[in-house]
Amino acid sequence: MLLLCPWARHLTHVACWWWSEGPVAPVLGSLASVSAPQGSCGYIVMEEFLGPQAQYNEEEEERKYYRRKRLGVIKNVVASSFGAMIVYGVYMGLLQMQLILHYDMTYREVKYSNLGLEDIDRKMLMGINVTPIIGFLYTPVLIRFLGTKWMMFLASGIYALFVSTNYWERYYTLVPSAVAIGVAIVPLWASLGNYITRMAQQYYEYANYREEHVQEQKKLPKGACHNYIIVFQSLFYVIFNLSFVFAELPMRLVLHHHLHENKHILANVKICGAAISGVIPGFNTTVLTNLPRSMLLIQVESVLMGFAFLSMIIFLVLCGPAYRPTEEIDLRSIGWGNIFQLPFKHLRDYRLRLLCPFFIYSGFEVIFAVSGFSLSYGVCILGLKSLWLLIVVYGLSSSVFSLLSLCLLRLPRWLALIGGAVVHGVLLVVLMVLSVKPSSPDQLGPLLVITALWGLGSALNKTGISTVVGMLYAEEKERLDFVYTIYHWWQAIAIFIVYLWSRMPMRAKLSILLATLLLACYCYWVMERRVARKVQHRIPRIPRPRHKVKGYCYLEEDNSDESDESDDEGDQAEDDDQVVEEMGEEGGQDPGAEAAESPRARRRGVEGQQHRWEDAE
């Protein structure tokens, strides 16, 4: 140890020089005051280190903070869009491959003998299409209880469950998972619509953080965040419509090489298009030349399962919360009975009632595009090997033309809905007169044009409806889940109707579509006219949150979801009515006597008597 002491002293002097006079000193100059007296190391003056920094700019740091917040909002929109796109791409791709395999008689007999896969498919489709009818009853309760973000995560997990059940195809695996998907459809889409609109509101708040009404968390001005709603809804549908493209990858990469040619599949088909009844009468029951290997199908399902888990991770990790924690508490504190009743009460609003035909047509046209038109026209005329091409063209067209809704930043909002309705109206008239013989490859060009135009109308319809609903209720964030529940519940009703009419004549289906479209346009014109004339609409009052908690209280002076003056007056009137009802009955009882007979008064009397007994003792 005595030998090491000179070396230790030498290393100490070197370290002191490195700290005080070496190359480190300029770097640390802004953080510490370095001085090197003779024979000692430099030291840091704590007052200068902890004191206010001369280079710190509070306004600049605040601006950077809210810029990061705005980038976070954009990240949330993109992540939720990609999550929804992956979920539906996996779901539709697996369902399409599964239905084609189970339709083939050879596959059913060789793989599963007398299991009855065809009957299982019918019950599975019934579970997917019928169950959403009751979604109106539980969707707001689930969203308020779980939160918007966690509802999207849970719904994506249910879709992943459906993918996992295809490893073991039995009645007790496929049918319950299909029913679970039917339960999750309306909550998933209501949460997505609520989430995208809420992100637009947050972006406005972060972009205008200096405004007084934003700092005090008051109600947003009328039309303040409409531009952000248009942009975010367009971005969502641009990304989501790509799910139709990715859903065809299993069909193109796996099943395409196992399909029969048109001469075999369409041998008994006589006519295609508007003259048929059902889907494709005379379609051959064997569509596969050879059966795909079981290991290949397991590998495909494993890849789809991986993407389903990826969507869950995206919703969980990349999507931020839609509301602040105190707002989440307030949304739940209005009472579960009120949450259950408010969707029904919101139907009193004439704006939602007049938009219901468009909600129904929105469900009609998507299911007709991917099932009615693609099968009765596309597969019947071109063959099963061309199905993937029609769906890909529809998905790409819908994705690209969703950008047209950005024109609403400069044009009136009715242009998107009416423009899509005009395109679909012309196409429905054309399809009513289009009857072609099967196996006609020369009809590929016209069918692709019709598919692309139908995608144009679908893009304008979807973005237009979501934008209009968001604009009408943009300033009332506590109503968004109820409004989007009504929207997507009517869509689910339309999907159920399409499931019921599968065996109807094609011209009857097209007539129903056209009649619904005309009715929707008329009702929407009436709605816009009433809004322009400022006709008062009936909106149910949402009760104030009543926090029945113990152990803590709110420290703010005002409530965290303070409503406008009308709501305050309504709350005051309701409180006065309750006070009057509590103080007197019909017979005119003495309020003092009633107060004396109240449980609180009796409890105070008992406690006072006990204190007197203790004093006497």
Side-chain angles (χ1 to χ4, degrees):
M1 294 298 294
L2 295 175
L3 296 175
L4 292 177
C5 289
W7 288 100
R9 288 196 299 270
H10 179 68
L11 291 176
T12 304
H13 286 295
V14 171
C16 290
W17 174 84
W18 185 269
W19 182 268
S20 60
E21 300 178 1
V24 181
V27 179
L28 300 176
S30 60
L31 299 177
S33 175
V34 179
S35 62
Q38 294 182 357
S40 63
C41 290
Y43 61 95
I44 301 175
V45 180
M46 298 303 296
E47 290 78 3
E48 296 183 4
F49 179 75
L50 297 177
Q53 301 295 320
Q55 298 179 356
Y56 179 76
N57 189 341
E58 184 177 358
E59 294 183 358
E60 181 67 18
E61 294 298 327
E62 188 180 33
R63 187 182 63 81
K64 291 180 180 180
Y65 171 77
Y66 282 103
R67 183 179 64 183
R68 290 194 298 269
K69 286 289 187 179
R70 293 195 296 271
L71 292 177
V73 169
I74 297 175
K75 180 261 298 179
N76 293 339
V77 174
V78 174
S80 61
S81 304
F82 271 103
M85 183 266 290
I86 294 173
V87 165
Y88 264 79
V90 169
Y91 163 67
M92 291 188 294
L94 180 62
L95 186 62
Q96 182 186 27
M97 185 177 68
Q98 175 183 335
L99 292 177
I100 292 175
L101 289 175
H102 293 179
Y103 178 81
D104 187 79
M105 182 183 297
T106 307
Y107 180 86
R108 297 197 305 267
E109 293 178 354
V110 173
K111 289 280 186 178
Y112 295 99
S113 183
N114 59 351
L115 183 61
L117 284 179
E118 194 172 7
D119 181 62
I120 290 177
D121 285 347
R122 284 196 295 268
K123 293 181 179 179
M124 185 179 66
L125 291 176
M126 183 181 298
I128 294 174
N129 294 303
V130 175
T131 313
I133 295 177
I134 62 174
F136 199 64
L137 303 177
Y138 58 81
T139 297
V141 176
L142 283 180
I143 294 177
R144 292 288 173 110
F145 180 74
L146 296 173
T148 305
K149 171 187 172 179
W150 289 99
M151 187 66 247
M152 295 190 296
F153 172 75
L154 177 63
S156 62
I158 292 176
Y159 280 86
L161 173 66
F162 174 76
V163 178
S164 66
T165 55
N166 283 267
Y167 286 108
W168 186 253
E169 295 177 326
R170 294 294 186 271
Y171 181 87
Y172 54 84
T173 59
L174 293 178
V175 176
S177 63
V179 172
I181 282 185
V183 171
I185 285 178
V186 177
L188 173 62
W189 279 100
S191 300
L192 285 171
N194 183 11
Y195 191 79
I196 299 300
T197 307
R198 184 71 189 109
M199 289 300 106
Q201 295 172 343
Q202 283 190 4
Y203 195 91
Y204 170 81
E205 293 172 358
Y206 295 146
N208 301 272
Y209 60 92
R210 296 180 183 276
E211 300 293 335
E212 183 179 356
H213 62 274
V214 174
Q215 294 179 355
E216 297 180 0
Q217 298 183 14
K218 291 184 177 180
K219 193 173 180 180
L220 300 181
K222 187 69 174 176
C225 57
H226 287 183
N227 291 341
Y228 304 122
I229 292 175
I230 295 171
V231 174
F232 288 172
Q233 291 290 351
S234 302
L235 179 61
F236 172 78
Y237 281 103
V238 165
I239 298 174
F240 172 77
N241 287 327
L242 293 176
S243 60
F244 295 100
V245 178
F246 291 103
E248 296 305 312
L249 291 179
M251 174 73 177
R252 182 65 183 88
L253 300 178
V254 179
L255 290 184
H256 186 77
H257 306 291
H258 299 275
L259 297 176
H260 271 294
E261 298 296 331
N262 296 343
K263 293 181 180 180
H264 175 79
I265 297 178
L266 304 175
N268 299 322
V269 179
K270 304 302 181 183
I271 193 69
C272 299
I276 67 174
S277 296
V279 183
I280 307 177
F283 200 69
N284 204 323
T285 55
T286 56
V287 296
L288 301 175
T289 57
N290 56 343
L291 301 183
R293 296 180 294 108
S294 298
M295 186 56 64
L296 177 62
L297 296 178
I298 291 176
Q299 291 172 355
V300 173
E301 291 168 358
S302 300
V303 172
L304 295 177
M305 190 69 190
F307 278 102
F309 277 121
L310 177 62
S311 67
M312 296 178 63
I313 294 173
I314 288 175
F315 283 126
L316 180 63
V317 177
L318 297 182
C319 292
Y323 295 92
R324 302 181 184 93
T326 54
E327 289 176 337
E328 292 280 3
I329 294 174
D330 292 344
L331 290 175
R332 301 187 189 118
S333 300
I334 65 174
W336 299 115
N338 291 321
I339 296 174
F340 178 80
Q341 296 175 9
L342 280 171
F344 299 93
K345 293 182 178 180
H346 273 83
L347 284 174
R348 301 171 183 172
D349 189 352
Y350 71 84
R351 299 175 296 178
L352 283 178
R353 289 203 310 270
L354 293 175
L355 282 174
C356 284
F358 251 124
F359 298 161
I360 296 174
Y361 178 76
S362 177
F364 280 166
E365 59 95 6
V366 174
I367 302 300
F368 176 77
V370 299
S371 62
F373 172 76
S374 60
L375 295 178
S376 301
Y377 288 87
V379 174
C380 188
I381 296 173
L382 303 176
L384 190 58
K385 287 189 173 182
S386 300
L387 175 62
W388 71 273
L389 181 60
L390 294 173
I391 302 298
V392 166
V393 171
Y394 172 76
L396 288 176
S397 174
S398 300
S399 177
V400 172
F401 288 123
S402 294
L403 293 173
L404 290 178
S405 61
L406 295 176
C407 298
L408 300 182
L409 295 172
R410 293 290 181 268
L411 299 175
R413 66 186 178 194
W414 57 265
L415 189 63
L417 275 178
I418 301 302
V422 170
V423 173
H424 277 179
V426 174
L427 291 178
L428 288 173
V429 174
V430 171
L431 292 177
M432 281 186 180
V433 298
L434 182 61
S435 296
V436 187
K437 293 182 178 180
S439 298
S440 302
D442 57 326
Q443 300 293 326
L444 177 61
L447 286 178
L448 291 180
V449 172
I450 293 175
T451 304
L453 291 177
W454 194 274
L456 166 63
S458 296
L460 295 176
N461 181 275
K462 290 291 185 296
T463 55
I465 292 179
S466 299
T467 301
V468 168
V469 172
M471 285 182 175
L472 292 178
Y473 296 90
E475 295 78 26
E476 302 175 10
K477 55 189 175 184
E478 68 275 4
R479 303 182 187 274
L480 293 178
D481 51 348
F482 302 123
V483 174
Y484 281 102
T485 296
I486 294 171
Y487 169 24
H488 294 290
W489 180 73
W490 281 109
Q491 271 193 339
I493 295 294
I495 294 172
F496 173 67
I497 294 174
V498 173
Y499 170 75
L500 293 179
W501 77 18
S502 58
R503 299 188 179 277
M504 289 178 59
M506 179 55 66
R507 286 197 172 93
K509 300 177 185 176
L510 295 173
S511 300
I512 294 175
L513 279 171
L514 186 59
T516 307
L517 181 61
L518 295 177
L519 177 63
C521 292
Y522 172 74
C523 293
Y524 178 70
W525 174 76
V526 173
M527 189 272 291
E528 288 288 359
R529 187 177 179 183
R530 289 186 182 180
V531 171
R533 288 162 44 191
K534 298 182 180 180
V535 177
Q536 187 63 31
H537 47 267
R538 295 179 61 186
I539 294 184
R541 189 185 63 82
I542 296 180
R544 283 182 175 274
R546 303 184 184 278
H547 303 282
K548 298 179 180 180
V549 295
K550 295 180 180 180
Y552 72 94
C553 61
Y554 282 92
L555 299 179
E556 293 85 354
E557 295 181 358
D558 299 327
N559 204 334
S560 58
D561 70 335
E562 184 177 0
S563 304
D564 53 3
E565 296 180 358
S566 60
D567 291 345
D568 294 341
E569 294 174 1
D571 290 340
Q572 185 66 31
E574 182 182 4
D575 295 339
D576 294 342
D577 294 340
Q578 292 178 356
V579 170
V580 171
E581 291 176 358
E582 292 174 358
M583 291 181 63
E585 296 180 354
E586 294 182 359
Q589 186 178 357
D590 186 10
E594 183 177 359
E597 294 177 359
S598 64
R600 183 177 301 177
R602 289 197 300 268
R603 186 166 58 252
R604 286 199 301 266
V606 171
E607 292 176 355
Q609 188 175 4
Q610 290 177 354
H611 288 306
R612 287 195 297 271
W613 288 345
E614 293 174 357
D615 295 339
E617 292 176 357

